Amino acid sequence: MQGEITERITGTAAILTPAFTNYYHWSIECLTRVCELTMYMDAHLNEEVQIIIPPNLPGWAHESLEEVGVADRCVPMEEPVLVERLLVPSLPDAPGV
């Protein structure tokens, strides 16, 4: 049945959404969220956090995840998954706003 939860992640996971396949939006929005997420994880969490990504990311997006040091934490998924604790990274506030 489509939409049925068949996968579970114990512990903490983060979801990278929306996962743009456009280079500009990926670089400016998604990678910024990933960097904010890694700073948060380093400062506040004492556990490995899996990062849920869509399965159809372009090769250059995977390369950028390697460059920022999180590729080993990324788990491609397209079906619903039940996560014990979910982090949803957001963009940082713009300066002066």
Side-chain angles (χ1 to χ4, degrees), residues 51 53 62-76:
I51 302 172
I53 61 171
H62 286 283
E63 290 174 17
S64 67
L65 293 169
E66 289 175 14
E67 289 295 321
V68 296
V70 298
D72 60 330
R73 298 178 183 188
C74 292
V75 180

Side-chain angles (χ1 to χ4, degrees), residues 6-87:
T6 59
E7 191 94 27
R8 296 180 188 275
I9 295 177
T10 57
T12 304
I15 188 164
L16 189 54
T17 184
F20 295 103
T21 56
N22 167 288
Y23 187 81
Y24 172 81
H25 288 288
W26 175 264
S27 300
I28 299 302
E29 296 187 35
C30 292
L31 284 183
T32 302
R33 286 185 176 114
V34 169
C35 291
E36 291 288 319
L37 176 64
T38 56
M39 288 189 295
Y40 176 82
M41 291 186 303
D42 291 345
H44 300 287
L45 300 176
N46 293 323
E47 64 180 300
E48 281 294 311
V49 175
Q50 295 182 41
I51 302 172
I52 301 169
I53 61 171
N56 59 344
L57 288 179
W60 50 262
H62 286 283
E63 290 174 17
S64 67
L65 293 169
E66 289 175 14
E67 289 295 321
V68 296
V70 298
D72 60 330
R73 298 178 183 188
C74 292
V75 180
M77 291 192 178
E78 65 180 320
E79 296 299 322
V81 60
L82 181 64
V83 178
E84 188 175 344
R85 283 182 305 279
L86 181 66
L87 299 175

